[in-house]
Amino acid sequence: MIHLTVHLVREVRLCGPVYFRWMYPFERFMKVLKGYVRNRNHPEGCIVECYIAKEAIEFCTEYTNVDHKVGAPIPGGHITEVDCNLLLQAHHYVLENTTIIQPYIEEDMKWLKLNNPRQSKRQKWLQEEHMRTFTHWLRKRWMAHGPTHYVAKYHGYVINGCHYNTKDRDELRVTQNSGVSIVATTMQISSAKDKNPVFVELCFYGIITEIWDLDYTMFRIPVFKCNWVDNKSGIKVDEFGLTLVDFTKMAHKSRSIHFNLPSQASILCTRPT
């Protein structure tokens, strides 16, 4: 057993945390299958019949339910009034990622180029001006008055079978569920005078600080408020090909978008510092 400790560090680096590959879930499932046996002369048939019945019941309860919710918050949330600028940024992000809004985004970009001919070739200025004025411009053409200023905040949210927590909730926990990653299209420029920006897809890593439930009266949309890691200094790939993220090296808050949709996020395997 003393010799075993020599290989533990290498196994963790190659395979990840132990709780992702131990046999306890399979042992518990074997106990469930044993509970299906009612006739000891035909144990396999009992297991098959009970398992099919269980699958049919789960299908009826999960897939034929009229209420198609994205997820469910963990009890214990509270409603509070949030900063207007942050609320506007969250609302803008929701609009930018809504399919039926895409034609209005293209129309707004054409309107900006037409009314600002001197700035029409500066993609950075167009993106910043579009983000600053799009919500107000859209109100004149579409009923996009945004969510209420009172937002429900939660410490955790279960979405698509994944359990997401805020950083504060994970402070005293061994299993961390507050780290997320997202693949997004971003504009890359070499300098402030660069007139030929390039749009590329990059993977961003961050940590959830707050979970908001935006109230649009007729429906609700959950969003994650995150702090993002600096892609230049906070991310590196080790010799095993694993991506290491340093959450102490965060990007400047004024240069990053704080919000993302749960449907776009992937949970990260992190450990407490």
Coordinates of all heavy atoms in Angstrom, one line a residue, residues 22-34:
W22 N -14.7 6.0 -9.8 CA -14.7 4.9 -8.9 C -16.0 4.0 -9.1 O -16.9 4.4 -9.9 CB -14.7 5.3 -7.4 CG -15.7 6.3 -7.0 CD1 -17.0 6.5 -7.5 CD2 -15.6 7.2 -5.9 NE1 -17.7 7.5 -6.8 CE2 -16.8 7.9 -5.8 CE3 -14.6 7.5 -5.0 CZ2 -17.1 8.9 -4.9 CZ3 -14.9 8.5 -4.0 CH2 -16.1 9.2 -4.0
M23 N -16.1 2.9 -8.4 CA -17.1 1.9 -8.7 C -18.3 2.0 -7.9 O -19.3 1.2 -8.0 CB -16.5 0.5 -8.6 CG -15.4 0.1 -9.5 SD -15.9 0.2 -11.3 CE -17.1 -1.1 -11.3
Y24 N -18.4 2.9 -7.0 CA -19.6 3.0 -6.1 C -20.9 3.2 -6.8 O -21.9 2.5 -6.4 CB -19.4 4.2 -5.1 CG -18.3 3.9 -4.1 CD1 -17.2 4.8 -4.0 CD2 -18.2 2.8 -3.3 CE1 -16.2 4.6 -3.1 CE2 -17.2 2.6 -2.4 CZ -16.2 3.5 -2.3 OH -15.2 3.2 -1.4
P25 N -21.0 4.0 -7.9 CA -22.3 4.1 -8.6 C -22.7 2.8 -9.2 O -23.9 2.4 -9.1 CB -22.0 5.1 -9.7 CG -20.9 5.9 -9.2 CD -20.0 5.0 -8.4
F26 N -21.8 2.0 -9.7 CA -22.1 0.7 -10.3 C -22.6 -0.3 -9.2 O -23.5 -1.1 -9.4 CB -21.0 0.1 -11.1 CG -20.5 1.0 -12.2 CD1 -19.5 1.9 -12.0 CD2 -21.2 1.0 -13.4 CE1 -19.1 2.8 -13.0 CE2 -20.8 1.8 -14.4 CZ -19.7 2.7 -14.3
E27 N -21.9 -0.3 -8.0 CA -22.3 -1.1 -6.9 C -23.7 -0.8 -6.4 O -24.5 -1.7 -6.1 CB -21.3 -1.0 -5.8 CG -19.9 -1.6 -6.2 CD -18.9 -1.4 -5.1 OE1 -19.2 -0.8 -4.0 OE2 -17.7 -1.9 -5.2
R28 N -24.0 0.5 -6.4 CA -25.3 0.9 -5.9 C -26.4 0.4 -6.9 O -27.5 0.0 -6.6 CB -25.4 2.4 -5.7 CG -24.7 2.8 -4.4 CD -25.1 4.3 -4.1 NE -24.6 5.2 -5.1 CZ -23.4 5.8 -5.0 NH1 -22.6 5.6 -3.9 NH2 -23.0 6.7 -5.9
F29 N -26.0 0.6 -8.2 CA -27.0 0.2 -9.3 C -27.2 -1.4 -9.3 O -28.3 -1.8 -9.6 CB -26.5 0.6 -10.6 CG -27.5 0.4 -11.8 CD1 -28.7 1.0 -11.8 CD2 -27.2 -0.5 -12.8 CE1 -29.6 0.8 -12.8 CE2 -28.1 -0.7 -13.8 CZ -29.3 -0.1 -13.8
M30 N -26.2 -2.1 -8.9 CA -26.3 -3.6 -8.8 C -27.3 -3.9 -7.7 O -28.1 -4.9 -7.8 CB -25.0 -4.2 -8.6 CG -24.0 -4.2 -9.7 SD -24.6 -5.1 -11.2 CE -24.6 -6.7 -10.6
K31 N -27.3 -3.2 -6.6 CA -28.3 -3.4 -5.5 C -29.7 -3.1 -6.0 O -30.7 -3.8 -5.6 CB -27.9 -2.5 -4.3 CG -28.8 -2.7 -3.1 CD -28.4 -1.8 -2.0 CE -29.2 -2.1 -0.7 NZ -30.7 -1.9 -1.0
V32 N -29.8 -2.0 -6.9 CA -31.2 -1.7 -7.4 C -31.7 -2.9 -8.3 O -32.8 -3.3 -8.2 CB -31.1 -0.4 -8.2 CG1 -32.4 -0.2 -8.9 CG2 -30.8 0.8 -7.3
L33 N -30.8 -3.4 -9.1 CA -31.2 -4.5 -10.0 C -31.6 -5.8 -9.2 O -32.5 -6.5 -9.5 CB -30.1 -4.9 -10.9 CG -29.7 -3.8 -12.0 CD1 -28.6 -4.3 -12.9 CD2 -30.9 -3.4 -12.8
K34 N -30.8 -6.0 -8.1 CA -31.2 -7.2 -7.2 C -32.6 -7.0 -6.6 O -33.3 -8.0 -6.4 CB -30.1 -7.3 -6.1 CG -28.8 -7.8 -6.6 CD -27.8 -8.0 -5.4 CE -26.5 -8.5 -5.9 NZ -25.5 -8.6 -4.8

